[in-house]
Amino acid sequence: MHRIPLIVGNWKMYKTAQEARTFIAALSPEIAGTDRRVLIAAPFTAIEGAGQAAKDTRILIGAQNMHDHPDGAYTGEVSASMLKSIGARFVILGHSERRLFFGEDNAFIRRKVLRALAEGLLPILCIGEQLHEREAGMHEEVLRVQLDACLHGLTQAQMSEVVIAYEPVWAIGTGKTATPDSAQEVHRFIRSFVEERFGSACSQKISLLYGGSVKPDNMAALMEQTAIDGVLVGGASLDVEAFAQIVNY
Ligand code: PGA
């Protein structure tokens, strides 16, 4: 099945609203010819500005996190409907930095996935093993546990709306990338998990992204892998030139 390449920038805690507008205005002509899906996960405070700048372009703006409750006494948190009200179209959930630095566990991430689906925000669920788990040859087991816990109880219809990003933690921001072959192998494993649980039509429909030190010079080799449908890009998404090269690989 042909899945349109999906390229997602994750700006993390970079760019003010004004910087976001300037970036989008500079990026859109650079990628005007593409037929790929281009998404940018901006900081909360830059979503609205980036969304306005991205109007009439093919760039969609989303968030990097949200809370699982529709509202409530959760100081410092942001809900799905708040994100939608300022133009967010998708949300990254369970990024390893959320798991490592903010103690997010699979159960919490699962509730967020369900909330995003209920509110019509596209969830991009991140999973990935740490270095010691990879070195111990446990990565498939770790990924299986994450997938199982984060996707448990979803219907086939819900699962068809989820994007999964495989981001080996040891490859994020380190300049080390999984080799295209090993990323391909893990993506096959993930797709077979989805097939087992949700059926083959669903597993063929969903997009699986690779993330971890994706750069203009390794993009083409990653995208040559048939099981990789797109990428989640951190550092290289902060630079217009580099991100445009990745989109136009
Ligand atoms: P990186 O980040 O591209 O800087 O490695 C990827 C990510 O954290 O999503």
Side-chain angles (χ1 to χ4, degrees):
M1 183 189 257
H2 176 68
R3 291 174 292 266
I4 300 169
L6 174 56
I7 294 139
V8 186
N10 172 15
W11 281 351
K12 308 195 179 187
M13 199 171 70
Y14 294 97
K15 297 197 191 295
T16 63
Q18 187 49 50
E19 287 164 349
R21 286 175 194 275
T22 307
F23 182 99
I24 301 293
L27 176 68
S28 53
E30 299 288 328
I31 60 167
T34 192
D35 55 1
R36 294 164 184 161
R37 296 160 75 197
V38 182
L39 275 57
I40 288 184
F44 292 136
T45 47
I47 291 172
E48 189 163 25
Q52 285 162 355
K55 197 168 169 281
D56 304 323
T57 75
R58 52 182 309 112
I59 306 165
L60 295 182
I61 307 298
Q64 302 166 16
N65 183 32
M66 62 170 217
H67 198 264
D68 69 308
H69 278 236
D71 51 26
Y74 299 103
T75 301
E77 290 292 327
V78 169
S79 72
S81 61
M82 291 170 185
L83 294 177
K84 281 200 316 185
S85 75
I86 54 167
R89 305 286 292 275
F90 72 94
V91 59
I92 295 176
L93 297 174
H95 189 280
S96 64
E97 286 153 15
R98 299 296 317 167
R99 295 174 186 261
L100 288 174
F101 305 144
F102 302 97
E104 291 196 10
D105 63 12
N106 288 319
F108 188 31
I109 295 161
R110 171 177 178 272
R111 295 197 301 275
K112 296 185 193 215
V113 170
L114 287 168
R115 174 64 54 195
L117 289 166
E119 302 271 355
L121 276 177
L122 171 78
I124 300 181
L125 168 67
C126 299
I127 57 169
E129 82 283 359
Q130 302 197 41
L131 184 59
H132 68 273
E133 295 164 333
R134 162 66 68 158
E135 283 174 348
M138 286 164 53
H139 53 286
E140 288 194 356
E141 193 42 43
V142 169
L143 297 169
R144 179 183 291 283
V145 168
Q146 291 176 346
L147 288 166
D148 210 16
C150 295
L151 299 173
H152 160 77
L154 266 69
T155 64
Q156 269 179 15
Q158 287 174 318
M159 186 62 214
S160 320
E161 303 300 323
V162 176
V163 171
I164 298 175
Y166 166 58
E167 297 204 305
V169 179
W170 47 270
I172 296 179
T174 57
K176 290 184 196 154
T177 352
T179 62
D181 283 353
S182 79
Q184 165 92 333
E185 198 181 302
V186 174
H187 278 230
R188 287 208 172 118
F189 167 78
I190 297 169
R191 206 177 296 281
S192 68
F193 175 96
V194 175
E195 181 174 356
E196 209 176 276
R197 295 297 165 92
F198 299 96
S200 128
C202 181
S203 76
Q204 289 306 307
K205 184 174 173 229
I206 66 163
S207 289
L208 302 185
L209 312 182
Y210 169 79
S213 298
V214 175
K215 307 283 179 227
D217 60 1
N218 57 25
M219 177 66 180
L222 286 164
M223 291 304 292
E224 263 169 31
Q225 307 299 316
T226 51
I228 299 180
D229 306 314
V231 288
L232 181 51
V233 189
S237 73
L238 295 169
D239 179 74
V240 172
E241 212 42 56
F243 193 60
Q245 281 178 39
I246 288 173
V247 172
N248 297 323
Y249 71 93

